Amino acid sequence: QVQLVESGGGLVQPGGSLRLSCAASGFTFSKYSMRWYRQAPGKEREWVATIDNSGGTNYIDSVKGRFTISRDNAKNTMDLQMNSLKPEDTAVYYCRARVGVIHWGQGTQVTVSS
């Protein structure tokens, strides 16, 4: 079955960096687009970035120039490099795959605070 496991979250000061990773299993990873979402306290879950199966990327405007999504099809992983982090980036970050139905990981907490 499809499994998505995020890692790499933590507490970081404003202006700092974190790298999130999503380990995928149970499907042919290289064939599917992958997405990162986030959900801040009291807010709806929002889309952050997409990487398609050919490596094309797209980002929400608020993270453009700061976040970079990437994938390693040999390792079945997707990463999100987050630089110049701001307090408003604080959220639980989720990876998502649509393999027939939508699948979510369990999420990883990112807290940006001094």
Side-chain angles (χ1 to χ4, degrees), residues 34-53:
M34 297 291 296
R35 297 185 178 190
W36 285 101
Y37 281 73
R38 65 185 179 186
Q39 187 165 18
K43 295 188 176 181
E44 293 189 354
R45 193 170 297 188
E46 69 173 356
W47 167 76
V48 175
T50 298
I51 185 164
D52 65 28
N53 59 357

Side-chain angles (χ1 to χ4, degrees), residues 59-78:
Y59 300 89
I60 192 173
D61 284 348
S62 60
V63 309
K64 284 181 180 177
R66 299 189 298 122
F67 290 12
T68 303
I69 189 172
S70 61
R71 67 190 296 160
D72 185 335
N73 289 336
K75 296 181 179 179
N76 288 358
T77 58
M78 172 182 66

Side-chain angles (χ1 to χ4, degrees), residues 2 26-28 31-33 96-104:
V2 173
F27 64 104
T28 307
K31 292 186 176 180
Y32 291 89
S33 292
R96 193 202 89 158
R98 183 190 291 271
V99 182
V101 298
I102 292 173
H103 299 269
W104 298 94

